[in-house]
Amino acid sequence: MENQEFEILLNKFIEGNISSEELNVLENSSEFSTYKKILESSSEFSTPYVDNDKSFNAFMEKTKFNEKEQKPVRKLNRYYLVSGVAASLIFLFGLFQIFNTNETYATDFGEQLAVLLPDSSEVVLNSDSFLEFNKKDWKKNRKLNLKGEAYFKVKKGSKFEVVTSEGSVAVLGTQFNVNQHKNFLEVHCFEGKVRVVRNKEKFILTQGDAVRQIGNAAFESWNFSEVSPTWKNFESSFKNTPLRFVVQSLIKTYGTTVISDNVDLDKRFSGSFPTNDLEIALKTITTSMNLTYDLEEGKKVTLRSKE
Amino acid sequence: MEVGDKSLCDSKVFEQVYKTNATALRNFVYYKCGDIDVAEDIIQDCFMTIWKKCSTIVFKSVKSLLFTMASNAFLNMVKHKKIVLEHQKLNKNINDRTNENPEFLLEEQEFLKKLESAIADLPDNEREVFLLNRIDKKKYREIADLLNISIKTVEKRMSKALKQLRNQIEGI
């Protein structure tokens, strides 16, 4: 018999999937009896006996000893993890609510909002603006954060400070208007005395004074005769203001998008536009600035130079 | 976590895994090193590693992992004892089989002694395959899985082992 064939049959015999004919072939070969005896005898061998219960107990003793050095790392169930995080978020939010005594007010495009402060000082927020102050601490610390434009009528008392990202305005008891855009701060003083600080530069205003600083340029100041800001009467007025900031006011008031095409935005504009009629506002601006405008869907404004 | 996927970190599950696999694993190491105390030490080290890393191990893979670990642990060992097997007949025959022909008994005893020493003389990889099949009654498929080798290799080692055993016993 071929050696290889014999091996295949022998392996089949060991695995127990040999057919009777194949077994006959095997049994007829001379060496099979020895193999069979080897296989049968060897299957009755055994290894030295070890009791697995004892083995396990010995192992547990070892683990106890080992655990003192290093505890097995346990994986946190994902659901516990998620609910844990959620619970702590809720807890932190609660804490925030308890300790956060900051009052905030915000206006959307075209909105105005009158706010009465705890000392009965008055604030009127112009459109798309944000005001924040600490209610609890108000008596000691009359300090507000402002983004956008607001008119203040301050009761006499301790220092009253309006902080914007473009500088701060501090007063003792007065009426004034603060208008802030990015890189732009304009303050009108209607009564009393106001101190404006921006980029460490100070400027003191008295009644009828207005001041403006654009970017890092020098303060511009002028006088005016109104007794309260015109925007309170649905009119935004500007004096010698770069068109760029006039357009920003327009966007804030009407919530439109403005695309300017071939227009010099640094050109200065003096005048006013109504805050409740977009068509008239656009006409007012474009006529005096020698521009044309397109208004699509009541929202998209395109400005073009006439030249 | 999948339903029905047992965690090794559960001490009950671990105990069960230990007790069902310890004998086979210990025997496997014993076939290699021939020293039951060393085998016991090695398997306890393997179980220790598994216990410490229980969270990272998939339950299904634990058996083959244990065998791989035991195999690797053995590679690091230099000492090597000759394997000693006990034969059930060898121990029993004095009491149970006195009615048989004493000449036959003597012959049988001699055969078993020869077989035992022939097994001890086999190369490690052939001996472990041969004994996993004969003593632990494992199918070729199982052996192949445990040792990470193909069935063909198992068959080859088995054939070679048998040939060498026969040659040694018959004194060829």
Side-chain angles (χ1 to χ4, degrees):
Chain A
M1 197 192 310
E2 276 287 310
N3 218 348
Q4 231 173 347
E5 197 190 335
F6 182 78
E7 276 174 16
I8 291 168
L9 290 181
L10 194 58
N11 275 321
K12 275 189 173 177
F13 172 74
I14 294 166
E15 281 283 84
N17 51 12
I18 194 165
S19 69
S20 51
E21 296 105 64
E22 285 170 330
L23 189 60
N24 264 335
V25 176
L26 265 187
E27 276 172 345
N28 283 334
S29 76
S30 56
E31 52 281 51
F32 182 65
S33 62
T34 316
Y35 281 126
K36 200 176 169 188
K37 199 172 179 202
I38 288 172
L39 287 168
E40 276 169 3
S41 305
S42 58
S43 70
E44 283 181 70
F45 277 126
S46 65
T47 52
Y49 176 74
V50 177
D51 185 341
N52 275 338
D53 287 338
K54 276 186 191 160
S55 165
F56 184 70
N57 290 340
F59 171 77
M60 285 315 283
E61 283 300 311
K62 265 198 205 170
T63 46
K64 269 180 206 153
F65 182 70
N66 255 288
E67 269 173 4
K68 275 173 199 160
E69 298 159 22
Q70 194 193 348
K71 286 230 164 200
V73 182
R74 277 172 176 263
K75 206 175 181 179
L76 206 57
N77 189 318
R78 200 180 304 154
Y79 298 113
Y80 288 153
L81 197 71
V82 170
S83 51
V85 168
S88 30
L89 278 179
I90 291 168
F91 178 71
L92 284 175
F93 184 71
L95 271 188
F96 179 75
Q97 284 297 307
I98 290 167
F99 290 106
N100 177 31
T101 49
N102 275 6
E103 292 269 317
T104 59
Y105 298 92
T107 51
D108 211 340
F109 299 117
E111 276 181 5
Q112 289 186 5
L113 182 68
V115 179
L116 192 64
L117 298 176
D119 63 347
S120 66
S121 296
E122 289 167 33
V123 184
V124 184
L125 266 183
N126 202 354
S127 50
D128 190 26
S129 300
F130 170 86
L131 183 75
E132 180 187 49
F133 63 92
N134 192 326
K135 204 173 165 187
K136 209 178 166 191
D137 222 19
W138 185 253
K139 271 194 178 161
K140 275 189 242 160
N141 187 7
R142 298 204 293 177
K143 195 171 176 180
L144 306 111
N145 290 318
L146 173 71
K147 221 174 139 185
E149 183 169 19
Y151 165 73
F152 296 88
K153 199 168 171 182
V154 180
K155 281 270 145 90
K156 284 198 169 60
S158 61
K159 185 184 172 192
F160 185 99
E161 194 176 10
V162 179
V163 180
T164 76
S165 61
E166 299 300 325
S168 68
V169 182
V171 291
L172 284 168
T174 177
Q175 294 178 35
F176 63 99
N177 186 75
V178 179
N179 187 8
Q180 170 261 337
H181 297 293
K182 198 169 176 0
N183 291 323
F184 178 97
L185 182 70
E186 188 178 295
V187 180
H188 290 72
C189 179
F190 296 94
E191 194 187 298
K193 225 176 185 180
V194 172
R195 190 177 69 208
V196 180
V197 183
R198 184 164 184 262
N199 297 338
K200 288 177 187 164
E201 263 188 90
K202 286 181 197 165
F203 208 95
I204 297 193
L205 304 180
T206 51
Q207 192 171 337
D209 284 344
V211 73
R212 175 200 300 145
Q213 194 183 30
I214 300 165
N216 289 322
F219 277 102
E220 299 167 40
S221 66
W222 67 95
N223 293 326
F224 63 92
S225 56
E226 294 95 346
V227 288
S228 70
T230 52
W231 57 262
K232 280 179 77 191
N233 303 317
F234 305 106
E235 198 175 77
S236 282
S237 35
F238 302 88
K239 186 153 182 167
N240 202 24
T241 309
L243 189 57
R244 178 185 313 282
F245 300 106
V246 179
V247 167
Q248 274 186 26
S249 280
L250 192 79
I251 292 171
K252 280 188 164 197
T253 309
Y254 293 105
T256 55
T257 59
V258 176
I259 302 161
S260 59
D261 186 15
N262 193 22
V263 175
D264 181 9
L265 288 172
D266 289 323
K267 219 169 154 187
R268 304 258 173 157
F269 171 79
S270 288
S272 55
F273 64 77
T275 59
N276 49 9
D277 193 326
L278 181 57
E279 288 272 349
I280 295 175
L282 285 169
K283 268 180 198 156
T284 317
I285 297 169
T286 50
T287 320
S288 59
M289 298 299 283
N290 203 20
L291 304 169
T292 58
Y293 73 89
D294 276 330
L295 181 60
E296 288 171 55
E297 299 156 30
K299 280 281 167 205
K300 288 182 194 163
V301 177
T302 313
L303 297 176
R304 279 193 198 84
S305 177
K306 266 187 185 169
E307 287 130 27
Chain B
M1 213 174 276
E2 274 173 46
V3 180
D5 193 6
K6 291 183 192 166
S7 168
L8 275 174
C9 296
D10 183 339
S11 56
K12 284 258 163 58
V13 174
F14 186 82
E15 184 174 347
Q16 205 200 338
V17 167
Y18 189 99
K19 287 183 178 170
T20 47
N21 290 300
T23 306
L25 194 63
R26 191 186 299 112
N27 283 352
F28 170 63
V29 179
Y30 181 69
Y31 301 150
K32 284 167 166 288
C33 75
D35 185 331
I36 200 70
D37 295 328
V38 171
E40 182 71 11
D41 278 351
I42 287 180
I43 70 157
Q44 290 203 351
D45 282 349
C46 294
F47 278 112
M48 186 72 76
T49 310
I50 293 221
W51 176 241
K52 278 182 185 165
K53 297 185 174 169
C54 63
S55 60
T56 59
I57 295 165
V58 181
F59 181 76
K60 273 189 247 166
S61 70
V62 70
K63 193 174 180 185
S64 65
L65 189 66
L66 279 168
F67 273 80
T68 311
M69 282 166 64
S71 190
N72 289 342
F74 179 74
L75 285 179
N76 301 330
M77 281 203 1
V78 192
K79 246 192 185 169
H80 205 154
K81 275 195 186 174
K82 215 173 182 196
I83 185 163
V84 181
L85 298 169
E86 290 165 36
H87 200 279
Q88 281 154 6
K89 276 186 193 162
L90 270 179
N91 300 330
K92 278 186 207 157
N93 56 20
I94 299 161
N95 304 323
D96 304 348
R97 305 179 78 171
T98 37
N99 53 348
E100 284 190 39
N101 178 354
E103 207 176 321
F104 171 79
L105 279 180
L106 203 68
E107 232 172 64
E108 174 110 352
Q109 275 205 29
E110 207 146 297
F111 174 80
L112 288 173
K113 281 239 182 297
K114 271 186 186 170
L115 178 58
E116 192 189 333
S117 91
I119 289 172
D121 285 344
L122 285 175
D124 290 347
N125 55 7
E126 287 172 26
R127 185 172 57 243
E128 73 191 24
V129 169
F130 181 76
L131 292 179
L132 279 171
N133 177 264
R134 298 326 296 164
I135 297 181
D136 294 286
K137 321 285 187 245
K138 289 195 187 306
K139 292 284 179 194
Y140 285 5
R141 172 81 267 167
E142 265 181 283
I143 297 171
D145 286 346
L146 290 178
L147 302 182
N148 267 325
I149 54 179
S150 67
I151 293 192
K152 265 263 158 316
T153 311
V154 175
E155 286 172 352
K156 265 205 187 111
R157 287 184 188 174
M158 199 68 188
S159 301
K160 273 182 86 181
L162 275 169
K163 212 180 242 170
Q164 191 180 326
L165 290 177
R166 173 170 163 259
N167 288 349
Q168 205 160 329
I169 287 164
E170 292 187 343
I172 301 167

